[in-house]
Amino acid sequence: MMPTGKASGNAVLAKARALYGSRLRADDYRRLMACRTMTELATALKEYPLYSEALAEVNPQYARRVQLENLLRQSLYTRYDSLCRYDRSAGSKVYEYFTLCCEVDELTAAMRCLDAGRPGDYLFRLPEFLQQRCCIDLYALAKATSLDGILAAVAGTRWEKVLAPLQSAKPDRGLTAQAEPLLQDFRHRALVALAPAKGGTSAAPNLRDLVELECDTSAVSNAARLIRIGAPDSVVRTNARRDCTALTNDEWEYLLAARDLDMFKARFAGTKYGPLLEHHEYSVLKEGFFHYRCDWCRKWLRFSTDPTLVMLCYVWLARCEVQDLDHIIEGVHYKLPPEDVQPLLVGFDEKD
């Protein structure tokens, strides 16, 4: 790495760790879960540095659930924006993957508003750096009142071909449900493309380890869900993507040959992930993976010297925190007691 690149890499490390230092702690989670009204929750959230800017214009007295959820997503974009500026100057291309993920989020958000019959609710909120690199016509997307409008907003971009099958979409199935598999498949392939080839003797993990963990989370979870409902073997194998995995082919064959969910779980316990997930309490495998991945990302955010890995570890933890806040917002909305909400919080750590 050139001297300038090394300095930029160090800046990424410092920025990601500084942002992580402003995370919510166990006492913060307890305070937010104890809120009884959306007004009380909005007031509390505005006091935290990571969310104060995004919620600056919110009047707590009139705060709404959807409004808070959208603005919290905006706070994530702002952090992506600040990290991507450093990452790009360090010569990494990971920022391009972040931009792609933001485009997936924006397209999905616009389609959900269409499905709900409220297209006017969609407003794009990408920060300037990401806006400049976004290939979608966001202004056209915000004005879209039909599928044709969304397809016009992506005309001439990489998404035009991805979303082309929607031209024969079934109106009774919902636009989002039909688009998400197309969008997520493209995002998955972009993620796998980031992973370096296997090899090396270093004990420290690299970007490939993190990508394998994310891909295995999805593949194992999909396989378990489909086996549980008795899906045909061909469907299970198609949805358990193994193009970037930490498991061997023999381990996968053994897993996918399971006749039912109990057998699948028993066989999974014998893979490399079994002992790693057994330290966590969870009801479904995906939840177990999330808890393990939080621990993994916390560890290597602190100890890795790879700027890109540290940045991606932070981004995962930040996404988990915002998802946890979504659960808390939902809990307050439905007036659930804190003891019912806390088990849903992946990032809650009593020792933090």
Side-chain angles (χ1 to χ4, degrees), residues 65-97:
R65 174 186 174 188
V66 173
Q67 178 192 32
L68 292 180
E69 290 173 344
N70 288 338
L71 291 175
L72 290 173
R73 179 164 61 95
Q74 163 68 10
S75 76
L76 270 182
Y77 285 166
T78 302
R79 282 175 270 175
Y80 289 174
D81 190 69
S82 63
L83 287 168
C84 284
R85 291 172 188 269
Y86 288 114
D87 183 60
R88 183 169 181 261
S89 63
S92 170
K93 295 297 183 181
V94 175
Y95 77 93
E96 295 177 351
Y97 174 69

Side-chain angles (χ1 to χ4, degrees), residues 192-243:
V192 171
L194 286 179
K198 285 183 178 289
T201 58
S202 174
N206 61 20
L207 182 57
R208 184 175 185 90
D209 296 285
L210 184 58
V211 174
E212 286 179 345
L213 181 53
E214 178 164 344
C215 292
D216 282 340
T217 298
S218 177
V220 171
S221 302
N222 285 339
R225 174 178 56 83
L226 291 168
I227 287 174
R228 178 179 60 81
I229 64 176
D233 181 70
S234 59
V235 174
V236 175
R237 290 177 177 274
T238 298
N239 286 274
R241 301 182 63 154
R242 293 158 278 164
D243 44 358

